[in-house]
Amino acid sequence: MSFVKQEQEQEQETGQGPRPSGLVPLVLGAVAVAMIGCLFLPEGFPAWLRFGPVYLVLPVAILAVVLGLLDLRHLRGPQEDEGVARRRARLGVALGTLATALPLAFVWFAAVLLGG
């Protein structure tokens, strides 16, 4: 029997799926913050590389926040061995929140400057 089948049988016996590791929200939050940095690339880079990722910042950042909060909800309780997963999920939520707040603050600031 393969290792994958053994894991699937154990999950069916216990009634629980795999425990969240917090890695997905962390990666999505870091990618969202990195996409904001694409705006500051030098003009020698192609326009699609400088401005293309900007359109995906908010969806990726919101997804990082939602998945991070879901992971934190699943990791609730006094489990000793899942402190790293909680930290990863919290950091993913923080980076996602930062990547969501920065563009919104920029739009608000631009509206104040141009409107008034």
Side-chain angles (χ1 to χ4, degrees):
M1 190 180 312
S2 72
F3 182 70
V4 175
K5 284 187 178 183
Q6 288 176 353
E7 280 187 7
Q8 289 174 351
E9 289 176 2
Q10 288 175 353
E11 289 173 4
Q12 289 175 355
E13 290 173 4
T14 60
Q16 295 178 347
R19 300 292 290 176
S21 66
L23 189 61
V24 174
L26 175 63
V27 169
L28 287 174
V31 166
V33 171
M35 282 193 272
I36 292 173
C38 288
L39 283 173
F40 304 107
L41 289 173
E43 290 184 18
F45 285 91
W48 64 268
L49 184 61
R50 291 177 59 211
F51 302 112
V54 174
Y55 296 108
L56 299 175
V57 169
L58 283 178
V60 172
I62 291 170
L63 190 62
V65 171
V66 169
L67 290 179
L69 291 175
L70 286 175
D71 277 1
L72 285 173
R73 182 175 181 194
H74 286 289
L75 293 169
R76 198 172 20 178
Q79 293 112 1
E80 297 174 9
D81 58 339
E82 297 184 355
V84 173
R86 286 187 185 137
R87 284 191 293 263
R88 287 180 189 155
R90 285 183 188 136
L91 188 56
V93 170
L95 288 173
T97 303
L98 177 70
T100 303
L102 282 176
L104 295 177
F106 176 76
V107 168
W108 177 80
F109 188 67
V112 167
L113 284 179
L114 296 175

